[in-house]
Amino acid sequence: MRVDVLIPTRNRPAELAVTLSGLAAQDFPDFAVHVADQSDGDASYDSPAAEAMVRVLRHQGHPVQLSRNLPRRGLAQQRNHLLDQSKSDHVLFLDDDVWLEPGAISRMHSAITELGCGMVGNAVTGLSYVDDRRPHELEPYEEWDGRPEPERITPGTREWQRWTLHNAANPTHLSERVRHRPKWTAYKVAWVGGCVMFDREALVNVGGFEFWQELPPEHCGEDVLAQMKVAAKYGAAGILPTGAVHLESPTTVVNRDTEAYDLVSP
């Protein structure tokens, strides 16, 4: 039943502390946390606020593993390193600038277990845009009726246009539609950024992030590529209401000229 929460981090001591505080407020009883740091100076977890949240999590009975993963060889290698540390049936890749509301992990675990698919995601929402409603970007919204089916989703396809669902505060506006329902709602996605729970076996079976060796160190979209592979073989879903809030800090991946899915076949 245990979930391994995998957090890649670099140069974000304040954001990491907030991310860990969200984990400390979860009601899911059995999860461990693995943090891999690639900061240029001191590790992000070596700040007083992050250290305090690590103590809280450990006091609650959640194992916390902190490691340095250097030299930097790109985010795909960083995620692959974290996946290698995990042992649980389900792994939650959580970015270091995402706060989870209480109950988020329980909801995600319930969804992936009941749906029986390869991954479920909580799309991160930017609450500074909460008054910016974009109904035209919500038009691709479509719910799953039953277990998600495998889908081959690539750039240029109709399914790829679902990416607009996760712009700005769109996940919050979609969540408002389903708040009256008794449990989570599964919907069709292109991919989900920042907060994704995988069936670990499914992710490993499609190669995990081993493709890092085919990429230059400066790249992005490695999470998208892995999700494309999982969705094509095992099915994927986003779930609402979303419980993931983006901290809206400046990105630490400034060079976005190389998309992983442009160089490696999904």
Side-chain angles (χ1 to χ4, degrees):
M1 180 181 177
R2 195 171 89 172
V3 170
D4 284 332
V5 182
L6 310 178
I7 306 175
T9 189
R10 176 174 177 247
N11 298 341
R12 278 183 163 167
E15 292 87 346
L16 178 63
V18 174
T19 298
L20 294 174
S21 73
L23 293 177
Q26 296 301 305
D27 61 0
F28 192 79
D30 193 10
F31 69 85
V33 181
H34 303 255
V35 181
D37 183 274
Q38 294 186 322
S39 295
D40 298 327
D42 292 340
S44 296
Y45 50 71
D46 283 337
S47 66
E51 289 172 343
M53 290 301 100
V54 168
R55 288 192 291 269
V56 169
L57 284 161
R58 287 173 172 165
H59 182 70
Q60 293 173 339
H62 301 296
V64 180
Q65 177 180 315
L66 307 172
S67 66
R68 291 278 265 175
N69 179 31
L70 296 170
R72 288 177 54 232
R73 286 162 287 181
L75 265 171
Q77 189 278 335
Q78 171 81 312
R79 293 186 187 278
N80 197 68
H81 167 77
L82 281 163
L83 184 60
D84 285 345
Q85 312 306 308
S86 67
K87 297 180 176 63
S88 300
D89 291 341
H90 296 101
V91 295
L92 171 61
F93 274 97
L94 183 65
D95 283 1
D96 64 353
D97 58 351
V98 177
W99 176 83
L100 290 184
E101 71 178 18
I105 294 181
S106 292
R107 193 159 59 241
M108 296 181 77
H109 187 264
S110 168
I112 198 169
T113 302
E114 184 172 329
L115 293 171
C117 56
M119 56 158 274
V120 300
N122 262 4
V124 298
T125 188
L127 289 179
S128 69
Y129 296 90
V130 72
D131 295 325
D132 179 7
R133 294 188 175 270
R134 307 179 181 185
H136 61 289
E137 293 188 346
L138 304 185
E139 291 176 3
Y141 178 74
E142 185 179 357
E143 296 178 5
W144 281 112
D145 182 13
R147 180 175 180 171
E149 299 173 0
E151 292 186 294
R152 186 169 179 80
I153 303 170
T154 55
T157 62
R158 180 178 61 84
E159 292 81 7
W160 189 259
Q161 296 306 311
R162 300 170 187 160
W163 69 268
T164 63
L165 298 174
H166 299 159
N167 280 346
N170 287 350
T172 294
H173 301 145
L174 287 172
S175 296
E176 292 169 355
R177 299 182 180 184
V178 302
R179 285 288 184 186
H180 64 284
R181 299 181 184 178
K183 64 171 188 176
W184 45 264
T185 296
Y187 67 101
K188 300 179 182 182
V189 295
W191 73 87
V192 183
C195 180
V196 180
M197 184 176 291
F198 291 94
D199 179 297
R200 187 182 186 279
E201 184 177 1
L203 180 57
V204 170
N205 284 349
V206 300
F209 294 89
E210 288 288 347
F211 56 79
W212 73 266
Q213 299 171 80
E214 303 176 53
L215 299 173
E218 295 294 331
H219 62 258
C220 62
E222 79 297 330
D223 52 342
V224 178
L225 176 57
Q227 291 177 42
M228 291 164 71
K229 290 172 175 283
V230 170
K233 189 169 184 178
Y234 298 100
I239 61 168
L240 297 172
T242 183
V245 176
H246 189 225
L247 301 184
E248 303 185 54
S249 295
T251 181
T252 58
V253 183
V254 293
N255 186 342
R256 295 183 170 270
D257 294 335
T258 302
E259 291 278 3
Y261 53 79
D262 286 337
L263 299 184
V264 182
S265 173

